[in-house]
Amino acid sequence: MKRVVSFLPTVSPLHLDSLTTRSGASAGVWLVVLIPLACSPGLYHTYAHCQPTPRLLSLLAIQVGVSGIHLYKQICLNNTIKTTEVGDNEHGKPIHSSPILLRLITHPYMPAVITAAAIALLTDIYPVVAVALSTMSACVLYRTTHWLFQSFPGSFSLGEGALAGQTAALTFTYSIYSLGAVIVHPGRLSHSQQISAFIQVAVVVVGALVGGVYKLPLLRSARMFVPYVFIWGTVGVGCASLVVREWVPLWLVDTVMHTPVRMQLLAWWGGLSLMAIALTSWARRRHGVAVTVLRKVYHVVIVLVFIPGILLDPTFTHFAAAAATLLCLLLEVIRVERVEPFASIIGHAFAPFLDEKDGGALILSHIYLLVGVASPLWLTPCPLEDAGMEEWPASPHSVLPLLSGVLAVGVGDTAASVGGTYFGRRRWAGTKKTVEGSLCGVAAQVVAVAGLAGAGAVAMTLPAWGRLVVAAGLVAALEALTDQVDNIVLPLLLYTPLMDL
């Protein structure tokens, strides 16, 4: 037993006493369960036929949820570990050691061992590959979370930092597996599989690019950064061309022009982008416009972006949202690392997105908003085309979960803010949020779904309406009471009950 424990790699838990977390935020350790809950539908028998198997992502999500607890041993595990004196150290002080079985159970890599066994038993993935994937996921989780807290003090609560680490671990590990499966099992890819493969190559390339910037400070000068990005871009184009089995620049043109609907969506999104830029410029000249009001306008814009995209072409919307997210992350790296003259321009452009939950060196509000609304598209167990959503109206029984981010953040949160401002009287205990505002948020979501149902875009039964109202009510109450970043939390909470409809 001791040999098994000594063989497993180790990881240092976060030392909470030395961490600088986001000001005004509670620990929020409960956030570590959100991604496992959102990925749990992948375990349902309904989606067992999907490829690649959604059970892999679900099991890895459960692993990173449990592994997140190991980051906070001082909160979660210390009280359960009873130590015994086993001798004296060189200073004459007693050395304490916990029982070997307890040390094995609470080892930070034990969830990875159990997950590897579950993957090998519940999927058709070979045990060796399962061990490699679960170990990689745990390693990326621990290293990324430590790096975020050490490099960007004050930017995250404990739960938000763990959530960011979990997202990085799942995204990177699942991308590596999917790309490996495409390479090992060559064959003709469908259009949606090509899009997924391209996104996965982009994730790996951007991750490697960002890692190089932080490892080599020399690359942070504009003279070195531009050719560095060009080199990685060339590598990315070459790798993506091999994976999708087409020359990527031409493939991108074909993807955009695949259907007339995509051209119309691009025109619509371009118009909304110009409107948002014009609105921001106007607001900066009129100093009387509140930043809170401006941010809620962007919530409305995101609704206008995603609702037509999800209803008309969710596959293309999934692709565009992933590209926009990776671009925003790369721009934030440039800004934080002060790669001039780009950093000053980016900082000036992102300033309107700042809110009270932005702390430390990072500006994350716009990324949180984009990721929160788009996350249901990325979490859906089956590829979107395989779910029969390529034509409007999109599958009425399947489209509502994809809209959970839009409903929770774009519709509910915005309506709650406006309703609370004009009708709010009774405040939730200990907060500035009002009960009337929360009720407006629930009502707005119900009205939005009723409109979609009337248009034939979603199918609703009486029990489904009841579950929707209860789920929306719980999400609205949490939005009023939590001090965590609601743009991420609310869509993940609403997604799982809507998947069960």
Side-chain angles (χ1 to χ4, degrees):
M1 189 76 74
K2 290 183 179 181
R3 290 183 179 180
V4 174
V5 175
S6 62
F7 176 77
L8 292 173
T10 59
V11 62
S12 300
L14 291 168
H15 299 290
L16 305 186
D17 296 337
S18 61
L19 285 183
T20 302
T21 56
R22 184 164 61 80
S23 177
S26 58
V29 179
W30 59 273
L31 267 63
V32 300
V33 306
L34 290 181
I35 287 182
L37 283 176
C39 293
S40 62
L43 296 173
Y44 298 169
H45 183 70
T46 307
Y47 306 110
H49 67 283
C50 298
Q51 290 297 331
T53 173
R55 288 184 176 179
L56 172 62
L57 184 63
S58 300
L59 293 171
L60 289 176
I62 295 171
Q63 174 194 318
V64 297
V66 176
S67 297
I69 297 174
H70 288 277
L71 293 166
Y72 309 122
K73 279 188 176 180
Q74 290 169 266
I75 294 177
C76 304
L77 298 179
N78 270 7
N79 292 335
T80 67
I81 299 178
K82 297 181 180 179
T83 60
T84 57
E85 295 185 10
V86 296
D88 294 338
N89 61 15
E90 59 184 6
H91 300 291
K93 295 182 179 179
I95 301 173
H96 296 277
S97 175
S98 57
I100 187 65
L101 182 59
L102 188 57
R103 287 170 59 195
L104 181 64
I105 294 173
T106 59
H107 193 282
Y109 273 87
M110 185 50 60
V113 174
I114 297 173
T115 302
I119 291 173
L121 291 172
L122 299 178
T123 70
D124 57 356
I125 297 174
Y126 294 114
V128 174
V129 178
V131 170
L133 291 173
S134 62
T135 304
M136 181 190 303
S137 179
C139 182
V140 174
L141 167 66
Y142 292 134
R143 287 182 177 273
T144 302
T145 310
H146 277 77
W147 171 68
L148 289 174
F149 280 115
Q150 292 167 4
S151 301
F152 309 108
S155 295
F156 305 94
S157 69
L158 296 179
E160 291 162 5
L163 194 63
Q166 289 174 328
T167 303
L170 287 178
T171 303
F172 187 80
T173 305
Y174 199 69
S175 295
I176 292 292
Y177 168 74
S178 299
L179 291 174
V182 170
I183 294 171
V184 173
H185 303 289
R188 183 171 179 82
L189 300 178
S190 68
H191 183 61
S192 63
Q193 290 173 330
Q194 287 182 320
I195 287 179
S196 296
F198 178 84
I199 293 173
Q200 288 149 6
V201 170
V203 166
V204 175
V205 169
V206 171
L209 187 155
V210 172
V213 170
Y214 282 98
K215 288 290 185 181
L216 301 172
L218 178 67
L219 297 173
R220 298 171 193 173
S221 66
R223 186 168 52 185
M224 296 296 296
F225 183 79
V226 173
Y228 175 69
V229 171
F230 178 79
I231 290 171
W232 270 113
T234 304
V235 171
V237 169
C239 293
S241 298
L242 291 174
V243 171
V244 303
R245 302 183 180 93
E246 293 185 35
W247 179 235
V248 158
L250 294 179
W251 175 81
L252 286 172
V253 174
D254 291 340
T255 297
V256 171
M257 302 180 67
H258 191 66
T259 62
V261 169
R262 292 187 177 178
M263 300 298 294
Q264 295 166 6
L265 283 175
L266 278 179
W268 173 247
W269 294 340
L272 289 173
S273 299
L274 292 175
M275 184 189 74
I277 293 171
L279 181 63
T280 302
S281 301
W282 173 81
R284 281 176 172 167
R285 291 194 298 269
R286 294 179 61 89
H287 299 290
V289 178
V291 176
T292 303
V293 174
L294 186 60
R295 287 201 306 271
K296 296 307 176 185
V297 171
Y298 284 110
H299 282 217
V300 175
V301 170
I302 210 81
V303 170
L304 296 176
V305 166
F306 273 87
I307 285 185
I310 290 173
L311 294 181
L312 296 175
D313 196 333
T315 303
F316 187 57
T317 305
H318 166 276
F319 174 60
T325 301
L326 290 175
L327 177 61
C328 286
L329 289 173
L330 185 58
L331 292 177
E332 182 62 9
V333 169
I334 295 172
R335 189 194 68 82
V336 170
E337 294 306 320
R338 299 177 182 176
V339 181
E340 297 294 353
F342 313 112
S344 300
I345 299 171
I346 296 169
H348 185 68
F350 285 176
F353 294 97
L354 279 168
D355 69 7
E356 68 278 0
K357 292 180 181 178
D358 272 310
L362 299 178
I363 299 177
L364 297 172
S365 292
H366 60 294
I367 298 176
Y368 285 146
L369 177 61
L370 178 58
V371 171
V373 176
S375 56
L377 290 166
W378 303 332
L379 292 172
T380 181
C382 283
L384 294 173
E385 276 190 356
D386 293 346
M389 298 180 182
E390 61 270 24
E391 296 181 1
W392 197 91
S395 178
H397 295 283
S398 305
V399 73
L400 190 59
L402 302 182
L403 292 168
S404 56
V406 175
L407 292 173
V409 175
V411 176
D413 189 24
T414 303
S417 179
V418 174
T421 300
Y422 290 100
F423 308 111
R425 296 292 182 272
R426 303 172 184 83
R427 297 190 183 278
W428 290 91
T431 74
K432 297 180 181 179
K433 306 293 180 67
T434 64
V435 175
E436 291 82 2
S438 299
L439 292 175
C440 287
V442 175
Q445 292 178 67
V446 172
V447 170
V449 174
L452 293 171
V458 299
M460 298 291 289
T461 61
L462 186 59
W465 279 112
R467 292 187 65 176
L468 172 66
V469 172
V470 172
L474 292 175
V475 169
L478 183 67
E479 185 273 334
L481 297 174
T482 188
D483 54 7
Q484 306 300 306
V485 177
D486 49 11
N487 286 349
I488 290 289
V489 172
L490 303 185
L492 292 176
L493 283 174
L494 188 59
Y495 172 76
T496 303
L498 292 188
M499 280 295 295
D500 291 337
L501 291 180

